Amino acid sequence: MIPEPRRIAIHQAGHAVVQTIVGRGRYAVARVSINAEPGESWRGLPAQGVALLDREALLGLYEFGLVTLAGIAAEDRYLAGIPADGEPLVALSDLAAWQEQAAELLQSEARVNLVSCNVMDRLQEWMDDAAIWQVVETLADALLAEGAVQGEALRKLLAPLTPLGRAGH
């Protein structure tokens, strides 16, 4: 079952926002889309939409966790205000990518769980920040209207998160 369009937009906006925060000017988000390319998946798990960087970036495990799980954290914030209607959907491709990378590097389920909790705690702090959440919602609105956002339009939407636009993150 595919989640409703606003939830997909919030998810992809969450990725783009956290990529921007974590990037600290080292790279930029080049394109965000809620439309999956035909056959888009990660190791057979379906993917809906994408938040692409302008260059390849090597991230440490913690940064990788923040970026990879950002969509799930954004969905959690969004869904907190909506009554549940059945089984919760989880972005399995994001969760699987994180768990595989973390298990390979940490080699202990207890360590993976500890780092996962730390990552999700940080993401929750960011999603609870009113200024950050406003950017998530504004980008999600643009994604719902256009399907994809890139170039100058995307830079303007993410500008409050860049080093010049926002200090302390």
Side-chain angles (χ1 to χ4, degrees):
M1 182 168 89
I2 296 175
E4 51 102 3
R6 176 119 186 116
R7 184 171 171 184
I8 294 168
I10 290 285
H11 180 100
Q12 293 306 328
H15 281 302
V17 162
V18 171
Q19 286 169 335
T20 301
I21 294 169
V22 168
R24 297 183 307 277
R26 297 175 295 171
Y27 53 80
V29 181
R31 182 173 188 274
V32 184
S33 171
I34 58 174
N35 303 315
E37 297 296 321
E40 187 78 20
S41 69
W42 184 85
R43 299 199 178 185
L45 297 170
Q48 185 71 30
V50 67
L52 296 174
L53 300 180
D54 65 348
R55 65 182 59 93
E56 190 169 327
L58 295 174
L59 302 176
L61 181 63
Y62 186 71
E63 288 180 324
F64 176 78
L66 290 168
V67 167
T68 303
L69 299 177
I72 294 170
E75 285 187 59
D76 286 349
R77 164 73 195 268
Y78 170 67
L79 293 172
I82 298 175
D85 64 344
E87 291 295 313
L89 296 173
V90 175
L92 294 178
S93 60
D94 291 346
L95 190 57
W98 162 249
Q99 288 177 336
E100 180 180 292
Q101 186 70 33
E104 182 179 316
L105 291 173
L106 299 174
Q107 300 185 350
S108 158
E109 186 176 341
R111 288 183 187 141
V112 170
N113 290 339
L114 178 63
V115 175
S116 297
C117 286
N118 288 332
V119 166
M120 289 307 290
D121 285 348
R122 171 57 69 145
L123 288 169
Q124 184 176 1
E125 287 174 21
W126 285 344
M127 295 304 153
D128 286 343
D129 181 291
I132 292 172
W133 187 249
Q134 181 61 52
V135 176
V136 171
E137 288 191 314
T138 302
L139 179 53
D141 291 342
L143 287 168
L144 287 169
E146 303 293 327
V149 182
Q150 59 191 359
E152 187 61 26
L154 181 57
R155 279 188 292 282
K156 285 181 180 178
L157 290 170
L158 295 173
L161 304 169
T162 61
L164 295 176
R166 180 175 180 84
H169 290 281

